[in-house]
Amino acid sequence: MLLLSKFFHPGTAYTSGEGNLTSFLHASLKQVAACVIFALAMTVSYFISISMEAIDNTTSWFLPAGVRVYAFLLLDKRFWPALLVGEFSLFGMSVDYIHHGSAVVTVAGMVDYLTDPLRVIPPLGAMLGVAYLRHKKPNQNAIEVKWWLMAIMVCITFIQGVLRALTHAADGALSLLQTAELTIGYWIGDLIGCFLVLSVVLIVSQSRGLRLLQKGIVLTLLIGGLVALCELFVWLTGASNPFYLFKLLTLLALPICIYYYNLQGAMLVLLGVCISLVLLKPQAVVFWELQVFVLSLAISGFLTGSAFELVKEKTNKLRESVMTLEKNNREIKRLTKQLATATDKERERLAQELHDDVGQSIIGLKTEVKLGERLGLPDAFLQSLRSQIDYIYTSVYEILFQLRPKELEDVGLAGILTGEKFYLLLNKNGITFMPDVHLQHTPDKAVEADLFRIAQEAISNVIKHSGASRCAVQFKETDTHWRLVIKDNGRGFDPAVCKAGHGLQSMRDRSAQHNAELTIERRNGWTQVQLCVEKNLITD
């Protein structure tokens, strides 16, 4: 059936408006081949089914029901009429020949054949069920398609079982209870046949090369193990019914195969179990017990295996999403670090430009003031110039400090926090500065630069927004972390409610570059910004 589907899967268009004689003949040949090959497959599966129809009167599995469903499922709709013709003609004649030894085709016989519900309804039902499946779930998850397929097989085989039972009950020899039992018996046999065909299709269609060889070896070992252990049990105990041991071994093999091969593993076990039963020919087993066991194994294995396959598929997609997210996070951190590095370099460039150009201009202005003194300009005018020059010098120096403090290179962050710069900056705004710095080592340059920027931003926020009278800064180290705390007794804010501005976001971005833990909280009347950075490189 798989080779058939590959050979016939959508090919060249052959309508009179689009094709020539060659394409028409080619398409016609495909239709005839589809009809003949399908009828042959149905006949072979029917012959196998009647050969297994009574394994010591314990089982009956009807394979043509599954072959029919999968033929309609695997082939394009253009070949469905050829399948119907093949079943109503060649397959019908083959069945007559198997049962009666001859296959005489007459008009009356063909009319009887086409008016027999048992012959007509199953293929039409399979065709309509597959058409509904294709219409309902054309692009859905493959597992959902298989579940729909199972539901369709259950419905089609039930209808077929009812028709076969009613055919036998038509002469009135069977009671209503016997008809119901016969219906269920036929239904179970047809459904098992569908699952057996399904198992072969799944294993072969979804495996290639070594994977298919591997599953063939597993199937062989499974069959050999089941048959050998059951025969050994019979030989050792003298019992005529090893069926309970057989069920136990099957239930042990099922979860193992599902774990390694998902749905294909469940179908592998079903196929192995049925072949083993054919080889063992179990004695003294009730028909219903064996049939119900095989059907239960098929349905439970199908549902469990497909669910396990779906979970594994979702898990793999989630793992891929997590890996993609981690990759994106790493890229974002890399770009953020590059941006911060570029920003620091630009700060250094601006600082150097201000120092060289504006600084030289201020020196020039001071020289001009001294020249004015010699020329006897008014003292009030000169004093005003000195005040403006001092103001410009202080402002430029503060800007230089904001851009790239020279002290960070000279004395490090600890020296800046205990030096005059933050003292003067805060005291000028009426805020008492309380530093508490205890270090035995200094952080590496990259960490130290980002810690300075975070401290600088936090202190700037204290000055601009807090209305505080006191600001405390703690910078300490433990065996594993650097700990920087900036807190004030101002009005505070709730970072969960307050919209994060550029400064707060910058603090978070800089802390994220070092996988640091940044917390902002209000505690005992103080607003506290705390940063804990894990130690990496340490220089004395």
Side-chain angles (χ1 to χ4, degrees):
M1 293 305 299
L2 296 174
L3 294 176
L4 181 69
S5 68
K6 288 185 177 182
F7 180 73
F8 296 108
H9 195 57
T12 307
Y14 52 89
T15 58
S16 58
E18 298 181 9
N20 50 28
L21 180 61
T22 302
S23 62
F24 175 76
L25 292 176
H26 182 69
S28 301
L29 179 62
K30 283 189 173 185
Q31 294 284 349
V32 173
C35 175
V36 174
I37 296 176
F38 172 69
L40 180 63
M42 289 283 287
T43 302
V44 171
S45 63
Y46 181 82
F47 180 79
I48 295 174
S49 297
I50 63 173
S51 300
M52 297 187 305
E53 191 168 358
I55 303 174
D56 289 331
N57 201 29
T58 57
T59 185
S60 175
W61 306 322
F62 194 67
L63 300 176
V67 173
R68 179 190 296 122
V69 170
Y70 266 91
F72 283 107
L73 184 66
L74 295 175
L75 293 184
D76 189 73
K77 289 183 179 180
R78 71 176 69 172
F79 296 106
W80 287 4
L83 301 183
L84 294 177
V85 171
E87 179 160 354
F88 293 153
S89 58
L90 299 178
F91 175 62
M93 290 188 293
S94 300
V95 171
D96 289 340
Y97 183 81
I98 291 173
H99 286 287
H100 306 296
S102 63
V104 179
V105 180
T106 62
V107 175
M110 184 62 67
V111 171
D112 291 339
Y113 190 95
L114 294 177
T115 55
D116 185 357
L118 179 60
R119 305 290 183 95
V120 175
I121 292 179
L124 292 179
M127 184 180 67
L128 293 176
V130 172
Y132 176 78
L133 173 62
R134 289 187 173 185
H135 173 73
K136 188 72 176 176
K137 299 285 180 180
N139 299 314
Q140 296 296 320
N141 185 281
I143 298 298
E144 295 182 12
V145 171
K146 292 184 178 69
W147 288 343
W148 274 94
L149 179 62
M150 187 186 75
I152 290 173
M153 290 192 305
V154 169
C155 295
I156 293 173
T157 53
F158 180 75
I159 294 173
Q160 186 166 315
V162 170
L163 292 174
R164 292 173 68 185
L166 291 177
T167 301
H168 290 285
D171 55 1
L174 299 178
S175 65
L176 182 62
L177 179 60
Q178 290 173 324
T179 303
E181 289 181 349
L182 195 60
T183 298
I184 296 174
Y186 282 136
W187 177 42
I188 292 176
D190 293 348
L191 192 52
I192 293 175
C194 286
F195 274 110
L196 285 173
V197 176
L198 170 65
S199 65
V200 175
V201 171
L202 284 179
I203 293 170
V204 176
S205 64
Q206 299 182 13
S207 303
R208 295 290 184 275
L210 293 177
R211 294 287 293 178
L212 183 59
L213 178 62
Q214 182 187 57
K215 290 170 187 175
I217 294 173
V218 171
L219 179 62
T220 303
L221 292 176
L222 178 65
I223 296 171
L226 289 174
V227 173
L229 290 174
C230 289
E231 293 288 2
L232 180 63
F233 176 78
V234 171
W235 181 71
L236 291 176
T237 62
S240 59
N241 182 13
F243 190 54
Y244 294 105
L245 174 63
F246 184 87
K247 290 194 292 185
L248 176 62
L249 295 174
T250 300
L251 296 178
L252 289 175
L254 182 63
I256 296 175
C257 290
I258 288 178
Y259 178 79
Y260 284 103
Y261 300 111
N262 305 326
L263 178 58
Q264 294 182 59
M267 296 295 96
L268 203 66
V269 172
L270 174 65
L271 189 60
V273 164
C274 290
I275 295 175
S276 299
L277 286 173
V278 173
L279 297 175
L280 284 171
K281 300 183 183 301
Q283 303 290 326
V285 179
V286 179
F287 171 81
W288 293 108
E289 183 180 4
L290 190 146
Q291 288 287 82
V292 171
F293 168 72
V294 175
L295 181 61
S296 300
L297 178 68
I299 295 177
S300 61
F302 183 88
L303 294 177
T304 305
S306 57
F308 195 84
E309 183 172 317
L310 183 60
V311 169
K312 185 174 288 188
E313 179 183 340
K314 297 294 185 182
T315 302
N316 291 336
K317 288 183 178 180
L318 180 60
R319 185 181 297 112
E320 291 176 0
S321 299
V322 170
M323 292 175 63
T324 302
L325 183 60
E326 290 177 348
K327 181 180 178 181
N328 291 339
N329 286 337
R330 289 193 298 268
E331 184 66 15
I332 290 173
K333 287 183 178 180
R334 185 185 67 82
L335 294 175
T336 304
K337 189 172 182 179
Q338 286 183 353
L339 179 60
T341 302
T343 302
D344 286 340
K345 288 182 178 180
E346 184 63 16
R347 286 173 182 267
E348 291 180 9
R349 189 188 67 81
L350 291 174
Q352 189 65 41
E353 291 289 338
L354 286 173
H355 180 271
D356 294 342
D357 295 341
V358 181
Q360 293 297 323
S361 298
I362 292 173
I363 294 174
L365 287 174
K366 287 185 175 182
T367 303
E368 294 294 333
V369 170
K370 290 181 180 180
L371 181 61
E373 291 176 352
R374 295 174 185 172
L375 295 175
L377 294 177
D379 289 340
F381 175 72
L382 294 175
Q383 185 59 38
S384 175
L385 285 178
R386 292 190 190 97
S387 298
Q388 292 182 37
I389 291 171
D390 289 339
Y391 175 77
I392 294 172
Y393 178 80
T394 302
S395 299
V396 170
Y397 193 80
E398 287 182 357
I399 292 173
L400 289 173
F401 180 75
Q402 293 287 332
L403 289 174
R404 182 69 181 177
K406 185 176 183 299
E407 289 86 346
L408 189 59
E409 300 291 339
D410 297 337
V411 299
L413 180 58
I416 293 178
L417 293 177
T418 55
E420 295 182 355
K421 301 303 178 182
F422 281 128
Y423 269 111
L424 295 175
L425 187 61
L426 287 164
N427 290 342
K428 187 173 69 172
N429 290 275
I431 301 173
T432 302
F433 185 47
M434 300 178 295
D436 181 14
V437 179
H438 297 284
L439 301 178
Q440 294 180 345
H441 308 88
T442 57
D444 63 273
K445 297 297 182 182
V447 171
E448 188 176 49
D450 284 328
L451 288 177
F452 167 74
R453 294 300 177 196
I454 292 173
Q456 188 181 62
E457 183 63 38
I459 291 174
S460 177
N461 288 337
V462 171
I463 295 172
K464 293 177 183 178
H465 308 297
S466 71
S469 60
R470 288 185 294 173
C471 177
V473 175
Q474 298 174 350
F475 187 28
K476 300 180 180 181
E477 68 172 304
T478 65
D479 292 338
T480 58
H481 288 80
W482 307 105
R483 183 171 177 269
L484 176 65
V485 179
I486 302 98
K487 58 183 181 179
D488 67 88
N489 64 344
R491 64 178 65 93
F493 72 100
D494 185 357
V497 177
C498 181
K499 184 179 178 181
H502 175 73
L504 185 57
Q505 187 60 46
S506 174
M507 294 165 62
R508 288 172 175 166
D509 291 341
R510 289 182 180 276
S511 61
Q513 291 179 30
H514 306 285
N515 295 321
E517 180 183 357
L518 177 68
T519 57
I520 303 174
E521 58 184 353
R522 182 78 174 171
R523 180 185 298 177
N524 300 327
W526 290 75
T527 301
Q528 176 175 291
V529 177
Q530 177 175 280
L531 183 70
C532 288
V533 185
E534 186 176 355
K535 286 183 175 180
N536 292 321
L537 301 175
I538 299 178
T539 59
D540 292 326

